[in-house]
Amino acid sequence: MKLSMGPQHPVTSHFRFILDVDGDAVLNFEWDVGYTHRGIEKIAENRIYVQNIPVVERINSYCDSIGTTLGYVEVVEELMDIQIPDRAKYLRVIAAELNRIASHLYAVSLVGISAGFETMLMWTINDRELILDLLVKLSGQRITYTYPTIGGVRWDMPDGFKEEALERLGYLEKRLEDYYRMMAWNRTFQMRFKNVGILKSSDAVGLGIVGPNLRASGVKVDVRKDEPYEVYDRFDFEVPTGKNGDSFDRASMRLKEIEQSIVILRQALKDIPNGPIKCSPKGSKVPPTAPRGEAYSRVESARGEFGYYLVSDGKSKPYRLKISTPSFRNLPALPFLCRNIPLGDIPVIFITFDYIPLDVDR
Amino acid sequence: MSDKSVEHQVVEDVKANFPEDVLEIDVQRRGRVSISVKRNIIYDVSLFLRDKLGFDHIASVSGVDHIDEKEFEVIYHAWSIDKKILAALRTRIPRDNPVLKSLIDVWKGALYHERETWEMFGIKFEGHPNLSLFLLPEDWLGIPPLRKDFVLPKRPQE
Amino acid sequence: MLGLSFVELIELFIKVLIFPGTLFSLLFSIIVIWFERKFLARMHLRIGPLHVGPFNRLGLFQPIADFLKLVQKEIITPSKANNFLYRLMPMLAAFLSALSIAFIPYALDPSGGYWVIFYTPLSLLVILVILTAKPFIMVGAGWAANNKYCTIGALRAAFQLLAYEIPIVLSLVGIVIVARSFDLAKIVEAQSSVWLIILQPIGFIVILIGMMAELLRRPFDIPLAEQEVVFGWPTEYTGVQFALVMVSEYFDLCVTASLITILFLGGWSGPAIPLLHDISPMLSGIFWFLLKMAVITVIIIMGRGVFPRLRIDQLLESGWTILIPFAIIQILITLATAQWWLPLIGG
């Protein structure tokens, strides 16, 4: 029986799965995406560089917009050869890590609900609000911050931000224990997530999986370590990896990464230097055009690696902006894993990969 | 450190194995290698990159429409987890006959990237199992939207 | 009429309309729905229903408002649905669920006999039969809606309910051995000195889990799994039909809680409450009954906040390989040890 799951379905968001179902077993899985396709790559060719920041932000607006805009800003800065002040770099890291925490909490909440575990959903969403509050203080927005800009960041830290952030991070660290217990001590949770959707490391690399999903399979790949952008090389943090690559590993990977984000944030908040937050207008001014050439920037967003490939023809608008998004790169995993599994595992595997339809469709 | 960086080592390896068909190869910056090849050997080069040099993690497949030169450029970005280098394997194909051998045998993850490139540029990938509309609406009839001759509809003027 | 005297007729009306009939079961449903929402909200660190009704921040009338909203809604029948079955099934579901209440004794009648709408010495069997009819309603409704999610949900429900009836029936065997009767009232009386939960703890756990599965409560709400099959067999129902399905679900909860109270917690037995006892000894019994019922209801509801949902194969496996063996073990223990404690309960 062909079962069309989505695009209006409690769990698939704006995706549609075309499933071959036999009784309660799924024989074949096929994607149908594109319900939120906006043609951002084409729109970007018709806007000047600065205008494109909020445009690309819409790729991944409701979860990890700092990671998204950061990649774009970096690729433009690389092409224009702009050096940004240290304080701006630190602020970018702080914003990106806060956003990563918020995004991962969101992901964990969805993990809970994928098996009908409402308590997990509510608790994590509740605590995500604390982080969003911090980001509101930093940027003025809850979801779409447009915080990094070409040549720096838009706003400086407000007074008292540091203390409040540290306090909330301390609270969150305590709560992480609870979340971890919710996963690891709950037998039913383990029954649903352990040994479900096992992605071996060789398969994960071959299929081009990125981000926490790849790390859950035991491959230690993190752009923050491999190719440190901003000031990530100045921080001392670990890249957590999983063992089995099953859904449980993917779910708990998010909690481990939140832990590391807290570690980074503590260091960043401690070390942040004083100084300007943008290239000063007098000194190195941000040019309106980028020189002819190309650049590829990689940024570790919450869902994985963002790749921005920018080709410039020397005019004020990008000639071509290719955006390689983490969810799009994770797409091949599901058809690979969802063969001959019970129907009940579909939401579990799907949610632990943390797809975002906006991200896939662009 | 040895006198040669890893990036230059990669460049030399590729040059030594494909002396004639590699058109242009250079190190753009730290961690970025650009390899421009003729379209007929792209499969062999990609296989060499994956098996011998360890570029096993496909990052993206992009098309670029060089409409003035009547050519498409297809770029495969592949990441090497060991070497920590991003290789851009690029080739140019004529605009009136946009056909290229599919590399999904080499990089399984390129499946959806190539399908997207097909629908956005109309570049046909030989050997790709399913070149059908993916992101665009099912009843899309216009020219592929990321070509430069596809002009965005203007906003109605007041 | 029916050969009843006037007083008996009045009594029957009170039983049917007020307690334990219509008014009580509806009130129970409303209160439980409200309590479930508020209770789960507190577990979730939320506030829950807030504005509707008296007492600030309680939202007491939220279920009533929801019900009124559902009643006002248009009834939509899918164009390809089997019209007759599709419309019949919600009514039948609510009817059958309500029917069980008629056979449950809630207290001792002061004028002799038991406070039950329809007394029969085979009440346990009758309730079991009604319980067995439930999968047919679900399969019928799921099939009639002509929706794939409904069909999958209905088949899951059929598997689950049929699989979990067996351990329930097996555990009931132990009780019937002790009470030597299928009469619920007799079972209560058999527990006058010691509750069966103490004598048959394994049976209690098996029945509690089995009943939760029968009720499709959280760890076992697989046929209704929102993330997988949208809402299972009642997916297509709207408006008042959906309200009927919901009501039937909470009637079932009422029946189940009553049943477990009777079977294991000694029903209405308990020390006399001074004030209530003065008015009528029956009220004291009802108080104890409702208290025990409430405890069971809370335990059943709590699953929703504590557990993720199981998968259908895990559920069936644990049903066949864990619950049934345990139920059988309970029977064997009961048989082997009956000679020692049967005198204890006056058997």
Side-chain angles (χ1 to χ4, degrees):
Chain A
M1 182 171 74
K2 281 253 189 248
L3 182 66
S4 168
M5 220 173 176
Q8 285 161 349
H9 183 277
V11 84
T12 65
S13 50
H14 297 292
F15 291 119
R16 179 165 156 246
F17 312 152
I18 303 164
L19 306 175
D20 281 334
V21 183
D22 180 13
D24 217 77
V26 177
L27 305 180
N28 197 10
F29 180 101
E30 213 176 302
W31 285 105
D32 183 12
V33 301
Y35 289 92
T36 56
H37 180 63
R38 290 144 296 168
I40 281 174
E41 290 178 7
K42 187 75 182 176
I43 296 170
E45 291 175 12
N46 293 282
R47 302 273 190 286
I48 63 169
Y49 286 104
V50 176
Q51 281 177 331
N52 271 334
I53 297 173
V55 173
V56 296
E57 186 163 36
R58 264 66 191 167
I59 291 169
N60 194 344
S61 54
Y62 65 86
C63 271
D64 192 24
S65 57
I66 300 270
T68 316
T69 38
L70 199 57
Y72 173 74
V73 164
E74 291 224 325
V75 76
V76 175
E77 278 165 2
E78 189 187 330
L79 206 56
M80 291 178 175
D81 198 18
I82 299 171
Q83 299 302 323
I84 68 163
D86 255 15
R87 188 175 174 82
K89 285 182 183 171
Y90 271 88
L91 282 172
R92 282 181 181 182
V93 168
I94 289 169
E97 292 305 319
L98 281 175
N99 209 184
R100 185 189 315 278
I101 293 176
S103 174
H104 278 340
L105 284 176
Y106 187 79
V108 171
S109 76
L110 291 184
V111 164
I113 202 67
S114 72
F117 198 7
E118 285 160 359
T119 311
M120 201 157 156
L121 168 93
M122 297 297 172
W123 285 20
T124 43
I125 285 282
N126 239 346
D127 288 344
R128 174 173 176 257
E129 215 59 32
L130 298 176
I131 305 298
L132 291 189
D133 274 357
L134 285 177
L135 282 162
V136 169
K137 292 221 163 72
L138 202 60
S139 68
Q141 303 289 331
R142 265 185 91 247
I143 303 286
T144 49
Y145 317 103
T146 327
Y147 187 64
T149 180
I150 299 169
V153 292
R154 224 164 266 274
W155 316 104
D156 204 344
M157 272 197 310
D159 292 339
F161 178 84
K162 201 186 278 187
E163 292 73 30
E164 192 169 357
L166 285 173
E167 190 188 318
R168 289 189 176 189
L169 292 178
Y171 167 78
L172 193 68
E173 210 165 32
K174 276 188 216 129
R175 291 288 286 171
L176 278 180
E177 276 297 303
D178 288 351
Y179 299 150
Y180 196 72
R181 275 186 216 152
M182 244 173 172
M183 287 184 180
W185 290 15
N186 196 330
R187 225 180 108 77
T188 325
F189 189 91
Q190 297 223 340
M191 274 169 86
R192 280 309 301 275
F193 285 79
K194 277 251 161 117
N195 296 324
V196 168
I198 299 175
L199 191 62
K200 288 196 217 81
S201 60
S202 54
D203 291 330
V205 172
L207 293 171
I209 310 302
V210 290
N213 307 324
L214 183 60
R215 292 195 280 278
S217 295
V219 186
K220 208 167 190 169
V221 173
D222 190 322
V223 186
R224 291 176 293 175
K225 279 275 189 209
D226 297 344
E227 230 182 47
Y229 53 98
E230 308 301 351
V231 283
Y232 276 112
D233 46 350
R234 298 185 201 175
F235 303 127
D236 179 28
F237 65 101
E238 307 253 306
V239 178
T241 50
K243 271 188 203 134
N244 307 321
D246 55 6
S247 297
F248 185 83
D249 273 1
R250 281 194 290 275
S252 56
M253 185 57 56
R254 261 96 199 170
L255 294 182
K256 289 180 194 158
E257 291 205 353
I258 293 175
E259 230 167 76
Q260 292 307 315
S261 286
I262 294 174
V263 169
I264 296 174
L265 274 169
R266 288 226 169 97
Q267 296 174 37
L269 286 166
K270 198 173 115 238
D271 299 347
I272 184 165
N274 288 321
I277 56 160
K278 280 182 207 172
C279 302
S280 66
K282 282 175 200 161
S284 52
K285 204 172 177 180
V286 173
T289 62
R292 184 180 271 277
E294 59 165 57
Y296 189 101
S297 81
R298 300 164 76 241
V299 165
E300 186 75 25
S301 83
R303 267 160 197 74
E305 175 194 329
F306 257 99
Y308 282 84
Y309 175 60
L310 178 67
V311 181
S312 162
D313 59 348
K315 299 206 178 77
S316 60
K317 295 171 183 170
Y319 186 76
R320 169 91 171 98
L321 179 67
K322 161 76 190 181
I323 307 160
S324 179
T325 52
S327 291
F328 191 86
R329 292 172 67 178
N330 285 337
L331 279 186
L334 242 65
F336 179 78
L337 292 177
C338 296
R339 291 229 172 88
N340 301 320
I341 58 163
L343 183 65
D345 279 350
I346 291 272
V348 166
I349 299 175
F350 168 70
I351 294 278
T352 49
F353 271 97
D354 202 7
Y355 292 103
I356 283 199
L358 302 169
D359 197 347
V360 172
D361 295 350
R362 301 193 292 287
Chain B
M1 255 183 84
S2 60
D3 50 340
K4 275 197 195 105
S5 69
V6 193
E7 287 87 345
H8 287 96
Q9 192 62 47
V10 168
V11 166
E12 297 216 333
D13 279 355
V14 176
K15 261 187 193 163
N17 276 275
F18 302 94
E20 286 161 19
D21 299 305
V22 173
L23 299 173
E24 204 184 327
I25 179 161
D26 62 340
V27 178
Q28 291 170 314
R29 70 164 168 96
R30 210 179 124 249
R32 296 281 185 279
V33 175
S34 165
I35 307 161
S36 185
V37 298
K38 285 183 189 160
R39 72 194 271 202
N40 53 348
I41 62 147
I42 187 160
Y43 185 82
D44 302 330
V45 177
S46 65
L47 213 56
F48 176 76
L49 282 179
R50 187 195 70 176
D51 292 341
K52 298 283 171 350
L53 300 180
F55 288 91
D56 45 4
H57 201 219
I58 183 78
S60 84
V61 179
S62 357
V64 182
D65 183 5
H66 295 288
I67 193 165
D68 299 335
E69 296 147 48
K70 295 202 166 44
E71 275 179 329
F72 285 129
E73 189 170 16
V74 180
I75 302 144
Y76 288 81
H77 285 100
W79 173 254
S80 165
I81 291 175
D82 301 332
K83 293 193 170 70
K84 305 200 195 308
I85 300 174
L86 189 78
L89 177 64
R90 55 186 70 220
T91 187
R92 292 220 173 191
I93 50 179
R95 220 163 169 279
D96 46 12
N97 180 24
V99 181
L100 192 68
K101 190 159 171 38
S102 169
L103 298 189
I104 55 168
D105 296 346
V106 184
W107 291 303
K108 269 186 279 175
L111 188 77
Y112 293 114
H113 292 286
E114 284 187 353
R115 193 166 159 193
E116 191 203 355
T117 313
W118 175 80
E119 73 173 336
M120 293 299 174
F121 288 92
I123 296 168
K124 201 161 175 291
F125 289 93
E126 274 177 347
H128 193 287
N130 184 11
L131 286 179
S132 56
L133 289 175
F134 194 45
L135 298 174
L136 294 176
E138 282 156 31
D139 53 353
W140 180 265
L141 290 173
I143 59 171
L146 278 180
R147 288 187 177 185
K148 283 286 171 186
D149 46 2
F150 178 92
V151 183
L152 284 185
K154 286 270 176 291
R155 282 189 191 165
Q157 300 290 323
E158 292 288 325
Chain C
M1 202 176 101
L2 296 171
L4 295 171
S5 73
F6 181 69
V7 178
E8 282 172 332
L9 209 62
I10 292 288
E11 206 180 281
L12 188 65
F13 268 116
I14 291 175
K15 281 174 180 171
V16 171
L17 290 180
I18 297 173
F19 184 84
T22 324
L23 190 69
F24 165 71
S25 46
L26 279 176
L27 255 178
F28 177 86
S29 309
I30 287 171
I31 292 170
V32 166
I33 291 173
W34 172 82
F35 177 76
E36 180 176 5
R37 293 184 62 175
K38 210 68 182 169
F39 182 62
L40 281 177
R42 287 293 144 87
M43 286 182 101
H44 294 163
L45 307 178
R46 288 186 288 128
I47 299 169
L50 191 64
H51 294 299
V52 192
F55 309 119
N56 197 18
R57 295 171 74 83
L58 266 184
L60 259 179
F61 288 176
Q62 186 68 44
I64 299 171
D66 287 345
F67 181 76
L68 288 178
K69 180 200 73 176
L70 284 174
V71 170
Q72 288 168 35
K73 280 195 167 180
E74 184 193 353
I75 295 175
I76 301 168
T77 312
S79 56
K80 284 183 182 166
N82 182 318
N83 233 324
F84 174 71
L85 266 182
Y86 182 78
R87 289 183 186 181
L88 177 70
M89 284 311 170
M91 286 186 267
L92 209 57
F95 166 73
L96 273 182
S97 306
L99 192 63
S100 311
I101 296 172
F103 299 97
I104 296 174
Y106 277 83
L108 276 171
D109 195 334
S111 56
Y114 307 100
W115 192 256
V116 52
I117 296 173
F118 186 85
Y119 177 77
T120 157
L122 295 175
S123 43
L124 184 59
L125 280 184
V126 176
I127 289 173
L128 275 181
V129 168
I130 295 170
L131 204 70
T132 322
K134 262 172 67 188
F136 294 100
I137 292 176
M138 293 174 181
V139 171
W143 174 80
N146 210 342
N147 175 322
K148 286 171 185 172
Y149 292 122
C150 294
T151 315
I152 295 175
L155 290 176
R156 283 179 169 196
F159 271 115
Q160 177 172 335
L161 266 56
L162 290 174
Y164 273 67
E165 257 155 32
I166 300 164
I168 289 176
V169 173
L170 283 176
S171 319
L172 290 179
V173 170
I175 293 164
V176 174
I177 291 170
V178 175
R180 293 181 186 167
S181 169
F182 284 111
D183 187 351
L184 290 173
K186 291 278 181 320
I187 293 173
V188 172
E189 278 169 3
Q191 299 177 59
S192 50
S193 54
V194 57
W195 292 356
L196 273 179
I197 186 174
I198 296 160
L199 297 179
Q200 304 200 345
I202 304 174
F204 172 73
I205 290 166
V206 168
I207 288 221
L208 188 70
I209 293 172
M211 280 299 184
M212 272 172 95
E214 292 281 312
L215 287 170
L216 313 181
R217 303 301 302 186
R218 180 41 47 88
F220 311 112
D221 64 341
I222 300 154
L224 306 177
E226 186 187 326
Q227 283 72 30
E228 293 149 34
V229 289
V230 187
F231 200 61
W233 61 275
T235 299
E236 293 281 359
Y237 285 117
T238 54
V240 79
Q241 290 174 327
F242 181 72
L244 281 174
V245 171
M246 282 284 102
V247 162
S248 92
E249 197 177 290
Y250 284 92
F251 279 0
D252 281 344
L253 183 59
C254 178
V255 171
T256 307
S258 313
L259 211 58
I260 295 179
T261 306
I262 286 173
L263 295 178
F264 288 103
L265 300 181
W268 54 82
S269 56
I273 307 291
L275 250 154
L276 290 172
H277 197 77
D278 295 345
I279 303 168
S280 160
M282 190 184 90
L283 285 181
S284 180
I286 289 175
F287 171 82
W288 283 113
F289 198 101
L290 293 185
L291 190 70
K292 292 164 185 171
M293 229 174 123
V295 171
I296 295 292
T297 311
V298 171
I299 291 174
I300 291 177
I301 284 175
M302 209 148 61
R304 235 181 110 179
V306 182
F307 295 114
R309 180 186 304 120
L310 285 167
R311 219 166 48 206
I312 185 80
D313 50 330
Q314 293 167 341
L315 173 101
L316 293 177
E317 199 186 307
S318 51
W320 290 103
T321 61
I322 299 173
L323 283 192
I324 291 181
F326 270 109
I328 292 171
I329 288 170
Q330 180 64 71
I331 295 175
L332 294 178
I333 292 175
T334 310
L335 284 174
T337 59
Q339 48 173 331
W340 291 300
W341 47 261
L342 265 184
L344 240 164
I345 55 173

